[in-house]
Every structure is written in C-alpha cells, then in structure tokens.
Amino acid sequence: MKKYSILYSSILLFVASLTFAQKDEGIITFERMVHYPKIIARLPYLSQEEKDRVKLTWGSDDEWKEKMKLVFNPTKSLYTYLNDQGESEDGTWAWRNDELIITRDFEKEKKTEIIEMLGKTYIVDDSLHTPNWKVMNQIKDVAGYICMKAVTEDTVKKQKITAWFAGDIPVSAGPERYFGLPGAILELDINEGDVVITATKVEFKKLDKELIMPKAKGKKIKDVDYDALLRNHLKDSIKSQRNPYWAIRY
Amino acid sequence: MKKAITITQAILCLLLLTCGVVFAQNPARINIKGTAIDSSNAVMPFATVMLLTPKDSTLVNFGRTDEKGAFEFKNVKNSSYLLKISSVGYLPFQEEIKPTDKAINDLGNLKLKPIAKELMEVVIKTARAPLSIKGDTIEYNAASFKVPPGSTVEDLLRKLPGVQIDQEGNIKAQGQDVKKVTVDGKQFFGSDPKLATKNLPAEAITKIQVFNDKTEQSKVTGIDDGKKEKTMNLELKESFKKGGFGKATVGVGTDQRAELKGNYNKFDSKQQFAFIGNMNNTNQGGISWDDYQDFKGSSAFNWGDDADFGFSSGRRFIYFGDEDEGVSISPGGGGNRNRGFSSNGSAGLNYNYDTKKTKFTSSYYYNQVRSVMDSYSFRRTFLQNNESFDTKDTSNRTSFNGNHRVNLRFQKEIDSLNTLIVISNSRFTDASNTYGSNQYFYKNNLFRNGTEIDNSGGKNSFGTVNSAIYRHKFKKKGRSFAISAGYNMNQGDANARQVALNNFLNATTVNDAIKNIRQLNTTNSTTNLYKGSLLFVEPLNKKLFLETFYNTSLQSSKVNRDVDSIYIKNEKEAYSIVNELSRNYLNEIRYNRVGTSLRYSSKGLNLSGGLAWQHYNLTGEFINNKLTQVKGIVSRSFSAFAPNVSLNYDLKNNRYLYAEYSVGVQEPNIRDLQPIVDNSNPRYISEGNPDLLPQVTKTVSGGFNKFDPATFINLYINFNFDSYTNQVVYNQTIDENFITRTKPVNISGGWSAGPYLGFGFPLKKTKATMNVNSSIFYSKNLSYINGILNNTNNDNYNIGVRLDLTPLDWFTFYANANFGISNTKYSINSDQNQQVFNNNFGGDMNIKFPKGIYFNTKFNYRVYKNERFGFDQKIPLMNMSVYKVVGKAQKAELRFTAYDIFKRNLGITQSANQNFVSQERVQTLSRYFMLSFTYNMRGVKAQIRKRNSWD
C-alpha cells in the first residue's frame, strides 16, 4: 500500500513541476475490438472439435468493435463509451450500451466505477489499487505516439494484460480499469489479442464538464466485492458449462 | 509446495541476514539522481525515468527529467534497481543500480543512443511494427510489411527500411554489407546470404532481426577481434495458420445395420476446404447442425442474403430452405427415425475463399434416400348428419430420392461504400417411387367397397435460385440504397403409371361394380420467376429513418400433362389419350409491392410503423380437353394494403420486450393453382383451382424475455394470434362410394392463437435446474364438407417440466415430463367430438466410470389416450450405450449401442384433422445392437453434460 502512495506522490510531484504541461489534458478515442472465437477457445469445457468449429465458422469475421473514450487531466480520468448508444456502422441500427463509467482521482487516490454486469448495475467506490506493472523492452507507435510496453496480470479473470503507454502524455490514466504507468496507456491487449483496445485519436484540449461523473443508481460495492462477484460468476458459469463472458465485460 | 516455500523463505531470511551484516552501515532510504544526455552530450528534458526491480522489471517508481535533463528519486528504498530512461527517438537506456552507502546516489550523466532514423520513420511510423530492443539488436515484425502472395524474402527485404538490395541480390543493412543470413538462428545452406533470401517465401517469415555479430573467425578462434559483421536473422512462423483435421466413424450392427461417416477439413488463413460423407441404413438422413457448420465453415451463416427487401423489424433471422425441395443444403433435418426403413447416403465438397474484402464459397453436395414403408392405417371420416365412414388401408411404399446440389456465393466489398453479393444455388433431383395399397371402406361396420392400387413413377427435376444484391452507402451517414435482381427456375419431368382396381358392393351393374384405372401420366412443368427489388433508406435525423421499398416479380408456369389409358393390343401394351384428364396450362402471376415505413432506433428501442400496397395479377390459360382444344381463360387481380408495426425494446438488465402486428399476403402455391386432376389414389382425388386468391394473414405477436446471469433464472413469455382472410382450405365432396374429391378454395374466418410461458431456475446452482413451460393453443378451421360448412375447433393445453441434475463430474441425469390435452370439436358431427391425452416422460442419464468408460441411457415413455376410440397406448422406448475413449492420445472411441431395447418402436401416429381422425402404424426400425469405432484427429471428449447452447 505504502509503495503506491509513494508512487502517486512522485507522479504528482513531477507532473506538477512540468512546464510541458499542455499535453496533459484532453480526450483519447479508442477502438475496442473483441475476438469472440478466441475467447470461446479458452472455455475449458469445450472439446477441441467444438472450438475449431467456432473458429472455422466465425474466425474470419470475428471483430466486434466499439468506440470508447478516455477523458483525462493530470489528476483525474474518466473512461466510457464514445457515443451514448451502440450503433451499426451506417448508424441505422442502434442498441443500448451496458452502463460503464470508470473514473479515477489520482490526487485523492479514489475511484468510482459504474459497471453493469450480471444483470445489475454496480457502483464500485474504493481507493486506488494500482496493478503491478512490469516494464518491457519494446516500443511501438500507437496513434502517432511512441509507446513502451508494460505487462501485468488480472488475477481474477486470469488474463495476461499488455499495455502500451506513451511517455509523451504524462498522465497515469488508461482505458478500462487500467492505469498507473508513467504515461497514458494508448493500447491495451487483454489475453494476447482476445480484446484489443487501441487509441485512434489523441486530442489535447482544456476540459470543461467532461470529467464530471453523472449520477447513477446502483448497488455500492468495494473492489473486494467486485472481485468476489466475478470469481463466483466465473466459477459457476464454467461449472455449468456456460460462457461467462456474455454477462460480464471481458 | 508448502515445503518449497519454507525453504525459499529460509534462504531469503539467510540472504537478508547476510545483507544486513554486510551493508549494516547503509542508509535505509536514499535519493537517486542523474542527468540524461544524448550522444552529442546535449541534455534531454522530459524523458521518462523508471525504477524497476531487476528481478522481473516490476515498476517501483517513476518520474521525468526536468529542463536540464536531471531527475531525482527522493526517499526510495536502498536496494537494487533497474533504472530505465526512455525518450522518443532513442533506444531505452538501462542500467542496474546496486545498493549504496551514500545518502544520495548520483549516477552522473547517462547517455541515450538514438534509433536509426529510417527505423523510426518506416518501421515505427509507417509500418506500425513494434520494435523489440535486445541489447544492440533491433527486431521487427515482418508481418507488418505487406508483400503480394508468392513473394520471396528478397521482395520483402526491399520494403524494409535501411535495407538495400542490389541487382545480384546482395544485401546491405544500414549501409553495411550483410555477411550472414541465418534462419531461426541457424546458417541456411552455406555461407551465401542470398540463398535464404531468394528461396524462402515471404509468407513463412514472422520476424526479421538485424544485428552485429562477431566474425566467424573470432567465433572459431575465440579471440574477439573487435570486428563485427552485420547479420540478419529470419524467424520462421510456427505453422503459418495452416491446419487440417478430420473424424471418421464406422459401425456394424445386428439386423444388417451399418453406419459409416466421416469428414475432413483443411484450411489456411484464407482458404477452407471440407469434405463430408455419410452412409447408413439406420434411418439417419439429413445433415446435423454441427456437421453442417464443419462442412460450410466460414460460409455457414450469411447475413443480408435476402434479396426481397421489405419491412425491417429489428430482429434478424437466417432462413434455411426445405430439406428435400430446397436448392441449398439445410441442416437440422434428418428424416424420421420412426417412419419405415431408410438407407441414406451423402457426400459433399466445400471450398471457401475468405478475406475481409472478398468472400467466395462453392459447394457440391449429393444425398440420397431409399426408403421402404409398410403401414396399416385406420381412418374415420365424418360426414354431415352425424354420419361417418371408416377406411382401413394396408399399404406399401418404396421411394428413391437423389439430390445433387451446387451452391455458389460471392461477396465483394468493392470499397467502403459499395458491396456486391451474388448467390446461385441449384439442385438436380432424380426420384422414383412405387405405391401399393389395399383399401377397405366400411359404414356402420359393414364392408361397402374396396380398392387395390399398384402405382409406380419417376421424376427428374431441376431447380435453381439466383440473386444479385448491390448495396450502396452514401457519404451521408445512414443514407443507403440497395437493388437486387433474381431469377428462379423450376423444371420437372414426371411420369407415373397408375393401376387401380375398385370394387363397389352396392352397385347394381357389373360396370358400376368394378371400375378399373390403368393409366400412364406424363407431366412436364416449367416455372420461371423473375424478381427485382429496390430499397432506399433516408435518415431524417440520427434516430429516425424512412425506409422505402419496391418489389416486383413475374412468375410464369407452364404445364403439359398427358394422361393415357393403357390397354393390351396384340399382347402388347398400347396407349390412348384420355382427353378429360389431360391438360395444357399456362399461368402467370405478376406481383408488385410498394411500401414505406418510419423507423425509430435509439439506445435499444427500435420502433417502426409502415404501410405497403401490393397487387397481384393472376392470368391463366388452359386447355381442359385436348380433343376439343377449348381454351379456358382466367384473369384476376387482387390488391391489398398491408400495414406493419413492430417494437423491439432492450429494457436493461437482460430484459427484452417485443411486439409486432403484420399483414402477410401469400400467393397460392403453383400446385393448388393447376387445374389438374390427380387420381393417383382413386379414392382420394384432388384437383387444383386456378381461381384461387392470395391468402391474407393478420398476425399479432409479442413477448417478453428475461435472463438473469447471476442467478441463472430465465423467463420467456410470448403470444401469437393469426387470423385468415381468403385462407386456402381443401373442400371435400364425398360421394356414396366414399370417393373423396378435394379442391382448394378461399375461405375467411379461420384463426389460431396461442400463448406460451417458459420459466427456468436453479434449485441448486450448477447442480440442479428446473424448467417449466406451458402453452395453450386454440384454432378454428373452416372447410366445406359436401357443401356444408364444417367448423373444426381445436384447443390444446400443454405443460412440461424438465429437471436437469448435474451433481457430480461423473454423473448427470436429465428428466422431463410433458402433459398434453387436446379437444377437437366438429360442427357437422358433434358426436365425434373427442379428447386426446398425450403424455410423455423421459430420462437421460450419463455416468463416467474409471478407465475412460462412459455409460448413457435414454428412456422415453409415451402414453396416448383417446377414450372415444377406446385407444389407450403406452410405449416405452429405451436406448443404451457404453463407450470407452481409447488410445494414449485419446483420439479414438469404441462404442456399443443398443437401440429400442424393449422392441416397442411401433411407429404409431395419431391425428385429428378437419373432418377425420386417423391412426397409423408403420413398420419401422426396432431393436438392434451396434458396435462402432470413431477416430477423431483432434481427440475425443466424452460429454457428460448436455450443452446449453453452442457457445
């Protein structure tokens, strides 16, 4: 715990003292791509034959895309859908998005997350728990920014997480529930390509109301409860041979 | 495990202790500072500085350099770190820091090396390939550089930044000659670097690394001469996404039963090839969903193939054609195990080419069914004035049906705005049949007359369905246009030989008492259908869309039917035409529909309302009597307004609401329109009616679904109501000899309605689940019996309960019970009103024994009761199988199966219809035992649990 607080104070210290600071407030647009055949191939109760069947049938046409946005300034971030509804490519069909608003307050070390999952809306209100990042020796370009690679692990969903963060954007924000690197995360890869969230546009601008969390109704829980809910659901679903990921965000 | 931890812990403690002793004077917390400079000694401001643990690079702390390139970590633990500095355009700097005895550990100037400009520009910026840095090796992903298929590595290298290739194929990297090319780190056929690059396909390479290696000489001598050679390493792809697998089953049983089945798939990233084959004499025809999916691969399901544009409801469906008559392969069928005996054979080949922009699929599939059906049936037909008569029929049918199907589909995304889909499906069928029957007619339990039939026939038919759909999206979001054209053709040549001997006991003359039919029918028919559709979608705003469509079609059918009577002349068969039964016939249906609807779509609420106007023009020209050649002309037109309203609403938390009101107009089918007399069963003569009008069905439907993924509780409620105008029904006229003549006519006033409720919930999560469903169905069917309007009212009530017990990994049990009551009331003959009880009880048990042995048994107990006929039947059916997964690799399965252990599969069906009830008993496949062996290249996985769905 102490380690993290040191980490934060140092971020703030550095960030606050910088004059390059124009590049620390704005909106990053992401494209989130889900590859269902890859996810299905991880279900332990399916035979190889069944996994191959899904792969052969859907494998070449497997990208489910949605647009997300990350609003950030040096002390806060908010991650949610870019549009207030899901849409077909041509915009003629629209559907409801599950509720999802993830906010971080790096200054107060607090977070609030509104997440609809398992048929309910939950509000996770807790202090920040930074993932245990390992920084790797790889660089690549994402949306015009040179990013370094960092990896961590989701111990509840047993997922390998790869993040590419831009040192040029000196904020610790990131997409989904990830954060805590020396730069904004511009690409997040969950489980070797099962889900890939890539920044398509980075826009720096003075923010107004974008960081304000809308009011929401839901059941208030802590990170521990959230993890327990997921653990139970994953266990029960796998035991019942149902795909758990239709009801939770991968 | 525990022990290991304790040992590690002990070692750790020891280490800590030693450290404590050695560095006892070291401060616990220190500051670490330094300055980042580049190769020209200029300071580097705004570089990211990180402290990582040396063991696994875990991020401990981070910061940035200031304007002077300086950084300082204050008050950090005094331990080993990996210091990492990164800045755009530079190779990340790395240095290990040891614990120190100073309070401030000043690392001084730290120099960052720049990344070669071309690497930066081309690899990172243009190809967006990740760069991996391993010391001075820079590695990048070859897959990021696009080269045409069939290119060699040399072609690929030409694309790479900082690499030049001269005429001879010599390679230069960053201005220096590449002396060595290795593949997966190994020298590739001698020292000529060109050998590898000229011969290897670019597709096989995943990564290219360029680095400075020691010279060969220094490697041999072990003395580092300081000289470095530019070396290139090519890393091969693991298997470049190629694969193949297959499965085969062979089974041999008692009673001469046998099964043979197999499939094989081969694929790479763009192409899929599949073979499927099946042969059996165990009544298993058709193709299962799983086999269909394995066979068709990526072309198994296609959206947007419907060329007939119309109202869109917000829910999407994929339709599959009829199993026998359809032109494309349709899964899910599979013959009826309880009807007679059939031998089945099928084989098919499928090829898919599948890229993001172009998709092509082609398949050929042949299937044949040879079946024998011996049946005995009893039927009671109701007449007016509370009269009825009974028919007892012993019949034998044999049939052969062979279908060749060729399916083609091509889809091209011309660009982001234009898409073209072309579909062509065809079927060629060769069929033959024989039908022999002895029918006896009784009234008031007295034998009145009888008929013997001995028919045979054959048919060749060809059907093809073709369509092309072109879709264009305009620049304005939401505005789109689609046009389609279609051509369908059906052509058939049928011949039938009909021999019937009728015996009428109440006749007064010999001529009347025995009526024989000896006829030869040949029917040639051709139907052509030309279609066209247009669709235009205009967004009125972000949520509101105006959709306008137009459909037009012309269907023309031509039939020529010759009926000849057969007689013997000079001991040879001779023929003379029967003019009264021969027909020449031409029929055309012109159809036009124009409609428009307004659709609202926002946040899961889809609401639409619209109106269409449709017009039919039916014209017919037929010659009823070939001798007189008198032409009959039919010309009718019909138009109707068809409104459509639909609602689909996602109510949050997995709850969905939907409702629809629609008016469907269905043109009469060709068979019913043809003024042809079918006397193949001389006791049941049917005739078409060219005057038929399209049937109009008004439908109201709706429902609510809910699924709670946390508790696994689900609820489904829906209802459906149909009412008919101009319903096509079959009028019957039954004469004193009990000869029934039927003819389709239009009638209005019939309807049907039915609500459904389904509810499922776990009794104990993951171990026991209960499902209850209940449905009610009412219907009113109208028809004329001997000119009197008969009103048949049906009401059915059903309740089903299913219990899934999955308590253990090695034991599952699925039980179900269904109770049904159906009441049928006949207005012309209320004495015959009846009540039928239909109850069904089933169980399915799976047990896993040690040593890979599994046991499955299925039991079904059916109770059928009809008190009016004193019918009370109980049929127990039981199948059992034991199987073992064999072999080290678990790829084979040996299975012993016993079908219908009690030998009670009697093939009994009963039904109550508009004016008759019937019971039929068909000799069918009963008890047999089978031993089968399956080999699956991908391994056999025994299934103890039933699949919920195919997720």
Side-chain angles (χ1 to χ4, degrees):
Chain A
M1 264 331 281
K2 216 159 198 177
K3 191 176 104 190
Y4 299 121
S5 46
I6 292 168
L7 213 137
Y8 285 111
S9 48
S10 57
I11 304 175
L12 291 173
L13 213 123
F14 275 98
V15 162
S17 67
L18 281 168
T19 43
F20 299 84
Q22 288 318 324
K23 281 191 162 186
D24 59 13
E25 189 167 356
I27 299 174
I28 305 172
T29 311
F30 289 94
E31 189 168 73
R32 183 178 189 268
M33 230 191 291
V34 185
H35 297 265
Y36 280 107
K38 282 187 149 185
I39 294 173
I40 287 166
R42 291 189 193 272
L43 299 175
Y45 54 84
L46 292 181
S47 68
Q48 191 55 43
E49 190 178 334
E50 287 165 309
K51 291 174 185 174
D52 286 339
R53 187 169 294 139
V54 172
K55 193 181 152 203
L56 275 184
T57 313
W58 306 109
S60 63
D61 188 21
D62 64 337
E63 293 155 359
W64 168 253
K65 289 180 195 166
E66 63 186 349
K67 290 217 160 113
M68 308 298 297
K69 69 173 174 191
L70 176 68
V71 185
F72 65 93
N73 70 16
T75 56
K76 281 183 180 156
S77 75
L78 183 148
Y79 176 74
T80 187
Y81 303 98
L82 181 66
N83 303 312
D84 59 354
Q85 59 178 16
E87 272 183 2
S88 61
E89 227 171 294
D90 60 1
T92 57
W93 291 98
W95 52 87
R96 198 183 69 84
N97 285 324
D98 284 347
E99 285 194 48
L100 181 84
I101 301 171
I102 294 170
T103 68
R104 303 275 178 259
D105 188 328
F106 304 113
E107 201 171 34
K108 295 186 184 137
E109 287 178 43
K110 281 263 177 209
K111 69 169 182 184
T112 306
E113 303 170 331
I114 302 169
I115 300 174
E116 183 184 340
M117 59 174 200
L118 304 171
K120 253 201 189 116
T121 305
Y122 291 97
I123 299 178
V124 189
D125 232 333
D126 210 333
S127 50
L128 282 176
H129 303 127
T130 314
N132 221 350
W133 291 109
K134 296 184 198 330
V135 180
M136 313 308 279
N137 267 328
Q138 262 153 290
I139 57 172
K140 78 164 176 178
D141 174 280
V142 182
Y145 290 83
I146 302 296
C147 294
M148 287 191 89
K149 183 176 169 179
V151 298
T152 187
E153 199 192 352
D154 183 328
T155 49
V156 178
K157 293 192 230 166
K158 307 271 186 298
Q159 292 165 337
K160 279 188 198 168
I161 308 295
T162 305
W164 295 85
F165 64 95
D168 272 7
I169 308 171
V171 292
S172 284
E176 304 290 307
R177 304 179 81 229
Y178 291 93
F179 68 99
L181 283 163
I185 300 171
L186 295 188
E187 185 171 305
L188 191 75
D189 178 315
I190 303 175
N191 249 354
E192 295 166 330
D194 291 1
V195 172
V196 182
I197 301 142
T198 311
T200 50
K201 197 172 93 182
V202 182
E203 193 186 355
F204 295 103
K205 65 174 188 187
K206 207 84 206 126
L207 295 177
D208 190 22
K209 286 179 182 153
E210 290 93 332
L211 276 166
I212 297 167
M213 174 89 154
K215 278 197 181 130
K217 269 192 249 168
K219 195 180 169 192
K220 286 207 169 167
I221 54 168
K222 296 275 175 198
D223 265 352
V224 196
D225 311 312
Y226 176 88
D227 289 351
L229 272 172
L230 283 189
R231 260 195 203 102
N232 273 332
H233 172 69
L234 287 166
K235 198 184 78 204
D236 286 349
S237 300
I238 298 295
K239 191 106 212 267
S240 310
Q241 307 199 345
R242 290 168 190 266
N243 183 347
Y245 300 108
W246 300 127
I248 57 172
R249 201 166 170 89
Y250 190 73
Chain B
M1 203 53 210
K2 212 160 200 176
K3 206 173 177 184
I5 288 167
T6 13
I7 289 169
T8 338
Q9 278 170 344
I11 294 171
L12 261 170
C13 282
L14 213 73
L15 272 171
L16 276 172
L17 273 172
T18 350
C19 293
V21 172
V22 176
F23 300 108
Q25 67 274 44
N26 284 359
R29 294 198 167 266
I30 54 164
N31 288 7
I32 299 172
K33 65 179 208 176
T35 304
I37 56 166
D38 66 11
S39 40
S40 57
N41 293 330
V43 295
M44 295 184 56
F46 202 57
T48 310
V49 190
M50 287 168 271
L51 282 183
L52 314 175
T53 59
K55 189 182 73 181
D56 60 0
S57 300
T58 300
L59 183 65
V60 179
N61 207 330
F62 60 81
R64 262 161 223 285
T65 57
D66 60 16
E67 293 95 324
K68 290 168 188 153
F71 66 89
E72 183 166 10
F73 289 101
K74 287 182 177 159
N75 204 26
V76 294
K77 223 193 257 171
N78 189 7
S79 64
S80 297
Y81 292 108
L82 194 65
L83 178 86
K84 194 173 203 143
I85 307 174
S86 84
S87 186
V88 175
Y90 293 86
L91 286 174
F93 172 89
Q94 241 173 219
E95 189 173 291
E96 205 171 333
I97 308 173
K98 296 273 175 237
T100 158
D101 52 359
K102 295 181 200 102
I104 295 170
N105 186 2
D106 190 344
L107 303 168
N109 286 345
L110 305 163
K111 197 177 264 186
L112 270 74
K113 281 189 202 161
I115 298 174
K117 199 179 162 215
E118 57 270 5
L119 277 182
M120 205 57 200
E121 291 298 318
V122 185
V123 180
I124 297 190
K125 291 289 176 195
T126 312
R128 296 174 161 254
L131 258 181
S132 292
I133 294 124
K134 291 175 182 165
D136 70 342
T137 307
I138 295 172
E139 175 186 289
Y140 43 84
N141 203 341
S144 314
F145 296 90
K146 295 276 169 282
V147 284
S151 301
T152 62
V153 172
E154 197 180 284
D155 300 323
L156 176 67
L157 290 179
R158 285 184 205 278
K159 295 234 167 191
L160 295 190
V163 176
Q164 290 107 40
I165 293 174
D166 65 17
Q167 296 274 304
E168 281 82 46
N170 294 313
I171 309 161
K172 269 189 179 180
Q174 276 110 47
Q176 288 176 272
D177 286 332
V178 172
K179 291 269 163 58
K180 205 161 67 181
V181 173
T182 55
V183 176
D184 278 347
K186 289 179 207 113
Q187 203 101 334
F188 187 82
F189 296 122
S191 57
D192 186 357
K194 288 176 284 187
L195 265 178
T197 54
K198 279 191 181 295
N199 292 312
L200 276 176
E203 287 176 301
I205 305 295
T206 168
K207 277 177 184 162
I208 296 173
Q209 295 153 324
V210 181
F211 54 94
N212 297 319
D213 199 6
K214 290 172 189 166
T215 58
E216 280 304 305
Q217 199 181 348
S218 72
K219 273 187 182 170
V220 174
T221 58
I223 302 160
D224 192 347
D225 53 9
K227 285 184 196 159
K228 295 281 167 82
E229 282 183 348
K230 270 272 178 253
T231 302
M232 182 177 276
N233 181 45
L234 306 172
E235 213 170 282
L236 289 176
K237 277 182 196 172
E238 265 176 46
S239 66
F240 62 113
K241 258 186 157 183
K242 257 188 180 171
F245 45 69
K247 190 168 89 165
T249 300
V250 54
V252 184
T254 56
D255 200 18
Q256 292 180 327
R257 299 293 140 198
E259 285 176 7
L260 182 67
K261 193 177 159 170
N263 64 301
Y264 184 74
N265 290 64
K266 203 169 160 56
F267 55 90
D268 58 33
S269 57
K270 281 185 192 147
Q271 300 177 90
Q272 297 179 343
F273 170 81
F275 164 80
I276 191 166
N278 181 18
M279 258 173 90
N280 67 68
N281 58 0
T282 52
N283 289 14
Q284 296 183 69
I287 180 166
S288 74
W289 280 97
D290 284 350
D291 286 341
Y292 171 78
Q293 231 177 304
D294 285 345
F295 180 57
K296 295 290 280 181
S298 65
S299 64
F301 309 104
N302 293 301
W303 301 112
D305 278 3
D306 189 357
D308 305 324
F309 310 132
F311 292 113
S312 46
S313 75
R315 279 180 290 164
R316 300 208 289 180
F317 303 96
I318 298 176
Y319 292 99
F320 289 94
D322 178 56
E323 198 194 337
D324 294 325
E325 296 288 318
V327 287
S328 50
I329 308 159
S330 34
N336 192 335
R337 293 207 96 174
N338 301 324
R339 305 279 293 171
F341 297 89
S342 73
S343 305
N344 305 276
S346 65
L349 292 172
N350 185 72
Y351 170 78
N352 295 339
Y353 174 82
D354 203 329
T355 61
K356 284 263 173 297
K357 300 239 149 156
T358 309
K359 293 178 199 303
F360 170 75
T361 174
S362 59
S363 68
Y364 166 76
Y365 185 73
Y366 173 75
N367 78 309
Q368 66 167 56
V369 184
R370 198 179 289 280
S371 69
V372 180
M373 213 161 87
D374 287 304
S375 71
Y376 167 77
S377 76
F378 170 82
R379 171 194 283 233
R380 177 164 294 172
T381 309
F382 311 125
L383 303 170
Q384 65 277 27
N385 310 324
N386 283 343
E387 286 184 9
S388 66
F389 68 92
D390 297 343
T391 314
K392 287 176 184 170
D393 179 3
T394 315
S395 71
N396 167 281
R397 269 174 216 276
T398 65
S399 71
F400 170 83
N401 209 312
N403 298 297
H404 302 262
R405 286 185 172 91
V406 175
N407 293 175
L408 301 167
R409 184 181 186 275
F410 173 75
Q411 179 178 341
K412 175 94 188 161
E413 245 179 69
I414 301 160
D415 52 44
S416 61
L417 299 176
N418 298 291
T419 311
L420 178 71
I421 299 173
V422 180
I423 304 162
S424 172
N425 295 329
S426 302
R427 171 193 47 82
F428 176 77
T429 298
D430 175 25
S432 64
N433 67 77
T434 67
Y435 171 60
S437 165
N438 282 314
Q439 299 174 16
Y440 301 97
F441 293 80
Y442 299 84
K443 192 168 182 183
N444 303 327
N445 284 328
L446 285 172
F447 175 64
R448 293 299 182 87
N449 53 51
T451 294
E452 274 172 54
I453 298 173
D454 185 9
N455 292 350
S456 62
K459 186 177 179 177
N460 286 325
S461 72
F462 173 73
T464 178
V465 173
N466 305 282
S467 57
I469 306 167
Y470 169 75
R471 292 176 201 275
H472 173 74
K473 283 186 242 171
F474 290 90
K475 286 261 157 60
K476 182 175 176 184
K477 198 179 174 189
R479 183 185 287 169
S480 69
F481 168 76
I483 182 166
S484 76
Y487 171 65
N488 299 359
M489 201 263 273
N490 254 301
Q491 206 255 324
D493 292 327
N495 60 72
R497 188 184 170 90
Q498 298 177 348
V499 178
L501 186 67
N502 295 308
N503 232 319
F504 299 102
L505 291 189
N506 56 347
T508 43
T509 66
V510 178
N511 234 353
D512 279 350
I514 300 169
K515 274 186 181 158
N516 289 348
I517 295 177
R518 292 175 79 83
Q519 279 172 359
L520 206 61
N521 298 344
T522 52
T523 309
N524 303 316
S525 63
T526 309
T527 300
N528 285 297
L529 173 64
Y530 307 88
K531 295 200 287 190
S533 283
L534 296 171
L535 173 71
F536 184 73
V537 181
E538 175 67 24
L540 299 179
N541 59 37
K542 277 193 166 176
K543 295 171 178 173
L544 215 52
F545 302 90
L546 189 69
E547 301 185 335
T548 308
F549 54 84
Y550 171 68
N551 314 98
T552 183
S553 73
L554 169 66
Q555 175 178 287
S556 84
S557 23
K558 212 170 138 180
V559 178
N560 182 31
R561 178 178 165 98
D562 287 330
V563 179
D564 291 284
S565 69
I566 306 169
Y567 60 95
I568 307 291
K569 193 178 171 187
N570 303 332
E571 290 177 10
K572 266 189 180 168
E573 269 191 8
Y575 311 97
S576 70
I577 193 150
V578 184
N579 287 308
E580 299 77 34
L581 291 172
S582 301
R583 292 280 190 278
N584 220 342
Y585 173 69
L586 182 73
N587 167 284
E588 270 185 7
I589 302 177
R590 274 168 218 275
Y591 166 69
N592 283 289
R593 178 173 76 151
V594 59
T596 186
S597 72
L598 198 58
R599 190 163 56 78
Y600 173 85
S601 181
S602 172
K603 295 184 189 174
L605 173 63
N606 276 297
L607 194 64
S608 89
L611 185 69
W613 180 78
Q614 48 203 74
H615 181 262
Y616 289 88
N617 189 19
L618 293 83
T619 54
E621 199 182 286
F622 51 92
I623 294 166
N624 258 349
N625 188 322
K626 286 209 168 172
L627 190 69
T628 55
Q629 289 282 325
V630 173
K631 265 189 192 167
I633 304 270
V634 177
S635 176
R636 306 199 63 170
S637 60
F638 175 84
S639 63
F641 279 103
N644 186 293
V645 181
S646 76
L647 163 81
N648 274 285
Y649 196 17
D650 174 350
L651 289 165
K652 209 179 161 180
N653 298 335
N654 300 310
R655 291 171 305 154
Y656 304 91
L657 185 72
Y658 56 94
E660 184 167 5
Y661 169 71
S662 66
V663 175
V665 183
Q666 175 71 47
E667 76 245 37
N669 73 43
I670 296 291
R671 227 183 134 101
D672 285 342
L673 282 172
Q674 293 171 353
I676 282 174
V677 177
D678 177 0
N679 64 340
S680 52
N681 180 348
R683 309 303 299 242
Y684 198 87
I685 297 167
S686 59
E687 189 181 350
N689 178 1
D691 286 339
L692 281 182
L693 287 176
Q695 171 175 320
V696 179
T697 309
K698 295 190 178 84
T699 304
V700 179
S701 64
F704 173 79
N705 298 343
K706 179 182 161 62
F707 175 67
D708 185 339
T711 56
F712 293 170
I713 294 173
N714 57 64
L715 175 71
Y716 298 91
I717 302 170
N718 63 57
F719 70 91
N720 194 80
F721 175 79
D722 289 324
S723 89
Y724 307 104
T725 311
N726 289 331
Q727 184 181 7
V728 175
V729 299
Y730 299 89
N731 276 0
Q732 296 187 8
T733 341
I734 300 158
D735 67 14
E736 70 283 0
N737 288 324
F738 312 130
I739 292 172
T740 305
R741 289 172 188 276
T742 77
K743 191 173 186 178
V745 293
N746 292 111
I747 198 161
S748 297
W751 57 268
S752 70
Y756 171 87
L757 171 87
F759 182 56
F761 56 98
L763 294 170
K764 189 165 176 6
K765 225 172 167 185
T766 78
K767 306 226 184 286
T769 307
M770 181 87 136
N771 281 284
V772 182
N773 66 73
S774 149
S775 66
I776 304 173
F777 181 76
Y778 301 101
S779 72
K780 178 181 174 179
N781 298 299
L782 300 169
S783 68
Y784 284 94
I785 310 292
N786 285 346
I788 296 166
L789 184 67
N790 177 36
N791 180 353
T792 310
N793 278 313
N794 270 306
D795 46 276
N796 299 304
Y797 307 88
N798 271 294
I799 287 188
V801 184
R802 210 179 76 217
L803 178 66
D804 297 357
L805 292 173
T806 48
L808 300 159
D809 286 341
W810 55 269
F811 177 81
T812 59
F813 184 73
Y814 299 85
N816 67 73
N818 285 291
F819 306 92
I821 302 173
S822 70
N823 297 310
T824 311
K825 296 189 178 90
Y826 302 95
S827 71
I828 56 159
N829 197 331
S830 55
D831 280 2
Q832 301 292 348
N833 291 352
Q834 51 193 296
Q835 186 166 49
V836 174
F837 294 88
N838 216 332
N839 301 334
N840 204 60
F841 306 90
D844 186 342
M845 182 171 72
N846 293 284
I847 306 174
K848 179 186 177 185
F849 291 105
K851 295 184 179 173
I853 295 171
Y854 296 83
F855 173 75
N856 166 268
T857 179
K858 285 191 181 74
F859 177 67
N860 194 66
Y861 187 65
R862 202 173 144 203
V863 181
Y864 183 92
K865 220 160 90 179
N866 185 344
E867 278 172 356
R868 257 208 64 76
F869 289 87
F871 207 84
D872 187 357
Q873 199 149 37
K874 299 180 175 73
I875 305 169
L877 294 180
M878 191 178 223
N879 297 342
M880 240 183 234
S881 63
V882 182
Y883 56 102
K884 181 174 164 54
V885 181
V886 292
K888 252 194 189 153
Q890 306 272 292
K891 284 184 175 174
E893 178 199 278
L894 194 63
R895 183 186 284 257
F896 177 75
T897 312
Y899 290 94
D900 188 18
I901 288 171
F902 304 127
K903 218 172 175 176
R904 291 291 299 275
N905 193 8
L906 303 173
I908 292 178
T909 50
Q910 347 234 341
S911 60
N913 279 307
Q914 51 179 353
N915 70 324
F916 65 86
V917 288
S918 74
Q919 291 146 10
E920 190 181 24
R921 189 170 166 156
V922 180
Q923 268 193 46
T924 187
L925 206 55
S926 188
R927 181 165 66 201
Y928 68 94
F929 302 94
M930 182 167 271
L931 189 66
S932 58
F933 178 78
T934 299
Y935 181 79
N936 188 336
M937 285 166 69
R938 291 168 295 173
V940 176
K941 193 169 179 180
Q943 206 68 53
I944 289 290
R945 264 175 187 265
K946 281 188 186 172
R947 280 272 168 271
N948 294 306
S949 61
W950 44 272
D951 61 7

